[in-house]
Amino acid sequence: MTPAGPLMQNARVTANEAVCREHLRLTLAVPCFPDVRPGQFVHVCPAHASTSAEATAPPAGVAEPNFMLRRAFSIAGLRRIDAGTLLEILYRVVGRGTRWLASLRPGNEISVLGPAGNTFPLVAGKGRAWLAAGGVGLPPLLWLAETLRAAGKNVVAFCGARSADLLPLGVNPEGTPAADAREARLCVRELAAHGVPAVISTDDGSLGYRGQVGEALATYAAGDATPATDLVVYACGPEPMLRAVARHCERRGVECYVCMERAMACGIGTCQSCVVPVGDPADPEGWRYALCCTEGPVFAAGDVLWDDPQRQQRTPPTCCGT
Ligand SMILES: Cc1cc2nc3c(=O)[nH]c(=O)nc-3n(C[C@H](O)[C@H](O)[C@H](O)COP(=O)(O)OP(=O)(O)OC[C@H]3O[C@@H](n4cnc5c(N)ncnc54)[C@H](O)[C@@H]3O)c2cc1C
Ligand code: FES
């Protein structure tokens, strides 16, 4: 099924709360929102800056948004209510746009363009799914975990962060994360609610397994008897982690999908700023650039060329005043 095209509308902030040292959870109410599935994202900017006719000062207490382009955020959860739809975004404060997001208060309005992009495929005939989330790659996989469980799949999640205070998750007091990556436990509140056990990894060993999420997944896999034919791996996070998970899956013959991140100026396929090199047998050179915003952000891991064939020669598209 082709996902519905994006709508541009104003959304009202209903909550914007810190979940760990650098992450906040933003809940937005929109009057109507098309059919949407995990993997898709919204592109946001200040409501008063979205059209020149509305160009006014920001509401009191909201940071002056000194940027021009929308910012992309995966939909981390969605709830239909009588008055419309509640969208959840989980974000890490890294720069101008996310500092502006962090300054929003309930009642403020922002402009939302979405849903944009494609979705994680639910693969028929495979009973098991492993989710690998590194850092800010967690949001789309939280919603995917819920969707996979509703479809009757057996799911295990691998959630990694640099340290425990950067993990945007509630640690379930009844299930302390194991230091051994071969042991998945109901230790993450948001995942345990759907019956999904998790392996937590931190680079500094401050919680769970000491090491990176790709290593945790490989360690778990070494002690697991799931046949490759019954398993799908879904991953989202920094590109080196995606590459490591993709390589692991390729070696084991496991189907794998990765959610890629690119700077996105337009989010709707017009500016060509968000390219991902992919293999394409129909192309005379055997590969081409795909647009992450419309053909992605989810790609079959085996299609992505992790070493861009033209990286040495190519000058990437640039945008000023981002
Ligand atoms: C499809 C898609 C989905 C995304 N989903 C999410 C999401 O669910 N939650 C979320 O927090 N982010 C998500 N992102 C990333 C998010 O769009 C960027 O973090 C955001 O645009 C940064 O905007 P900014 O103005 O705050 O930072 P900028 O001012 O644009 O950048 C400030 C500095 O932070 C660096 N930076 C930018 N992004 C990141 C990052 N992700 N991690 C570390 N450093 C970064 C930049 O290189 C720069 O040095 C997603 C991106 C895409 C393309
Ligand atoms: S962000 Fe403009 S084409 Fe993808």
Side-chain angles (χ1 to χ4, degrees), residues 107-186:
N108 292 152
E109 294 213 329
I110 71 171
S111 173
V112 170
L113 177 70
N118 68 354
T119 71
F120 289 108
L122 294 194
V123 182
K126 303 215 179 199
R128 288 169 186 269
W130 291 355
L131 311 181
V136 88
L138 185 71
L141 298 181
L142 278 180
W143 190 24
L144 179 63
E146 184 182 340
T147 308
L148 288 165
R149 288 294 295 146
K153 311 281 184 185
N154 179 311
V155 182
V156 177
F158 301 83
C159 309
R162 288 205 313 274
S163 55
D165 61 348
L166 287 174
L167 197 68
L169 293 168
V171 176
N172 195 343
E174 285 145 37
T176 316
D180 185 341
R182 287 169 297 185
E183 219 183 300
R185 294 184 181 172
L186 291 173

Side-chain angles (χ1 to χ4, degrees), residues 71-74 90-92 94-98 136 139 261-262:
R71 299 316 199 227
F73 295 93
S74 301
L90 196 56
Y91 65 98
R92 177 167 167 230
V94 294
R96 293 179 285 180
T98 43
V136 88
E261 194 179 300
R262 288 289 182 272

Side-chain angles (χ1 to χ4, degrees), residues 263-274 291 293:
M264 290 182 178
C266 74
I268 51 171
T270 54
C271 73
Q272 314 286 299
S273 71
C274 63
L291 295 181
C293 66

Side-chain angles (χ1 to χ4, degrees), residues 260-300:
M260 308 284 292
E261 194 179 300
R262 288 289 182 272
M264 290 182 178
C266 74
I268 51 171
T270 54
C271 73
Q272 314 286 299
S273 71
C274 63
V275 295
V276 173
V278 294
D280 183 352
D283 188 281
E285 294 186 34
W287 72 278
R288 67 184 174 86
Y289 285 120
L291 295 181
C292 191
C293 66
T294 49
E295 295 177 69
V298 179
F299 293 89

